[in-house]
Amino acid sequence: MRHRGQNRDILQPGYDTPKIDPDPKARSADKWLERLYGVHDLLDAKCVSAKLERHVRVAILDSGVDLPLPVCQETYKRIIGFKDYIDTENKAHVDTDGHGTHTLALVMKAAPKADVYVARVFRGRGDNGAISKRNSKEVNTDIAERDSTKIHQGIAQAIRDAVDEWQVDIVSMSFGFERAIPEIGEAIRYAESKNVVLFAAANNKGGNEDVCFPARLSQVICIHATDGEGNPASFTASSEQGEDNFAVLGERVMSNWPLGLGQGHQVRKSGTSCATPIAAGIAAMVLYFARSYLALNPDKFPADRFHFEKLSTTDGMRKVFHRLAKPRGAGYNYVCRWEVFEYTLDSTFMDLILMDLKKI
């Protein structure tokens, strides 16, 4: 079954009507995404004739990609770049874990007009925390240290390559570390200086641990998780006073999965690592609309166009996310105000964005 408008085979890839999931959280997650697709249809109707120099570009740093074929054949065309920082001689798309495939497809769901670039920076989710307390006694620590150093260096280089080689607008990072990694921090600061917007997952250990690195950096937009009705997920990190505390759908979310892993072509997953690519996709959607509107209306905002360049900065995108968010208990800002996009019928949404950007 296909939806109106954009090709959404990454949600229902050409099959008949899907089974209704009895889990209410699964159903509410599906409805949340359906509302987002309604925004896509609205923007498509208004922006389809815009002549843009290029598509919005999003880089996903994760475990790689292995979209199920043939159902996602068309989707593969949107993957413009792939680089493996673990098996550096490898040129083929690969994902032996599934995490990267799941997150990449979520970006594509949230931003159907974006081009995506994939950096394989770890083999599996166990690599994320380098030498964690839970596994340090199970492996040779010298080997683990060398492996973690390679992962850290690979992530840092992937961020720099995403900026310099792929020239992306947005970087999505669905991983985190307990301690700060200096080389990754330096690469993030470099990306931020080049006006690249970075997103990272908070953590999945609830109130037991603080927000992970790099999500806690000021140059990164930290993303928490909710269910489809905006209730904070039990596993998401506690909100912090004075922080943005943005929260996006991240519980029981359906997305694609490698067929070779034996769980079918799509599975439901939960985590801030699911919320983060959706947030990155929303940011790409905002950039697509703003650039399209300015291209279609060259006489609008003649003295203020330079302000809209701030949308390509972390601080600028934070302003827009606050515009799209509403308070949802426990200090979180739930990103869900899709009605704001209904203002695309005139210039009101752009007026609101401009008012916010002028404050930076």
Side-chain angles (χ1 to χ4, degrees):
M1 180 178 70
R2 292 184 184 276
H3 301 272
R4 291 184 298 114
Q6 290 301 314
N7 175 8
R8 291 171 187 144
D9 61 355
I10 54 176
L11 179 62
Q12 304 295 348
Y15 292 152
D16 294 332
T17 303
K19 295 179 180 179
I20 297 176
D21 197 309
D23 179 5
K25 286 190 177 293
R27 294 199 301 271
S28 69
D30 293 344
K31 290 180 181 178
W32 193 100
L33 289 170
E34 287 291 342
R35 288 193 291 271
L36 183 60
Y37 298 150
V39 177
H40 295 164
D41 292 337
L42 177 64
L43 296 187
D44 286 346
K46 293 298 175 182
C47 302
V48 65
S49 60
K51 303 297 183 182
L52 301 179
E53 294 182 2
R54 67 172 202 176
H55 291 164
V56 177
R57 300 177 181 180
V58 183
I60 298 99
L61 277 58
D62 214 289
S63 63
V65 60
D66 184 12
L67 286 169
L69 295 175
V71 293
C72 289
Q73 187 67 55
E74 289 299 313
T75 305
Y76 259 111
K77 296 178 181 178
R78 292 174 54 198
I79 303 175
I80 308 302
F82 174 86
K83 190 170 183 179
D84 195 328
Y85 293 85
I86 297 298
D87 301 316
T88 55
E89 299 299 316
N90 174 54
K91 304 300 180 185
H93 291 182
V94 63
D95 181 8
T96 57
D97 180 87
H99 192 268
T101 300
H102 200 272
T103 58
L104 174 134
L106 289 176
V107 169
M108 290 179 163
K109 287 184 184 185
K113 292 292 187 179
D115 289 339
V116 296
Y117 297 76
V118 180
R120 184 176 182 244
V121 295
F122 51 84
R123 290 187 178 87
R125 283 155 286 180
D127 293 340
N128 289 3
I131 305 174
S132 67
K133 293 179 181 178
R134 67 177 182 274
N135 66 20
S136 61
K137 295 180 180 180
E138 301 173 8
V139 298
N140 183 294
T141 55
D142 290 335
I143 295 175
E145 188 65 48
R146 288 197 299 270
D147 288 346
S148 61
T149 298
K150 180 180 179 180
I151 292 167
H152 301 163
Q153 292 173 344
I155 292 172
Q157 190 59 52
I159 294 171
R160 292 181 181 274
D161 289 345
V163 175
D164 296 333
E165 295 184 15
W166 293 338
Q167 298 182 342
V168 302
D169 302 286
I170 297 164
V171 173
S172 178
M173 300 176 287
S174 289
F175 56 82
F177 302 90
E178 293 180 5
R179 63 183 179 88
I181 312 298
E183 57 264 49
I184 296 176
E186 291 174 8
I188 285 173
R189 286 186 285 273
Y190 173 73
E192 198 255 357
S193 74
K194 298 294 184 179
N195 291 341
V196 173
V197 182
L198 302 108
F199 291 86
N203 81 25
N204 293 333
K205 298 182 180 179
N208 293 327
E209 293 189 12
D210 295 332
V211 169
C212 291
F213 173 93
R216 60 176 177 257
L217 292 178
S218 62
Q219 297 86 5
V220 176
I221 298 178
C222 172
I223 300 299
H224 297 265
T226 72
D227 64 15
E229 297 179 349
N231 302 305
S234 61
F235 53 77
T236 202
S238 299
S239 61
E240 298 182 4
Q241 188 173 4
E243 299 296 332
D244 297 308
N245 298 311
F246 293 127
V248 179
L249 173 68
E251 192 166 359
R252 300 287 289 145
V253 188
M254 182 73 83
S255 190
N256 285 119
W257 198 254
L259 284 174
L261 297 182
Q263 300 180 51
H265 72 283
Q266 53 185 6
V267 299
R268 291 191 185 275
K269 294 291 181 182
S270 299
T272 55
S273 59
C274 296
T276 300
I278 294 176
I282 292 170
M285 184 177 70
V286 169
L287 287 178
Y288 164 68
F289 166 69
R291 292 173 181 176
S292 296
Y293 187 92
L294 293 174
L296 290 169
N297 300 276
D299 297 329
K300 291 280 188 178
F301 312 110
D304 293 312
R305 290 207 159 209
F306 71 96
H307 284 295
F308 289 106
E309 296 176 5
K310 300 173 188 176
L311 276 176
S312 297
T313 68
T314 298
D315 285 342
M317 192 57 67
R318 277 196 176 99
K319 290 290 186 182
V320 176
F321 267 53
H322 276 291
R323 177 68 61 181
L324 295 175
K326 63 175 68 171
R328 185 56 175 147
Y332 297 100
N333 286 308
Y334 173 44
V335 180
C336 69
R337 293 188 61 214
W338 309 134
E339 69 273 11
V340 172
F341 284 97
E342 295 177 2
Y343 300 146
T344 56
L345 297 175
D346 51 37
S347 66
T348 306
F349 184 42
M350 292 293 281
D351 290 330
L352 293 172
I353 292 176
L354 179 60
M355 180 175 63
D356 294 334
L357 296 177
K358 282 184 174 181
K359 298 175 182 177
I360 300 177

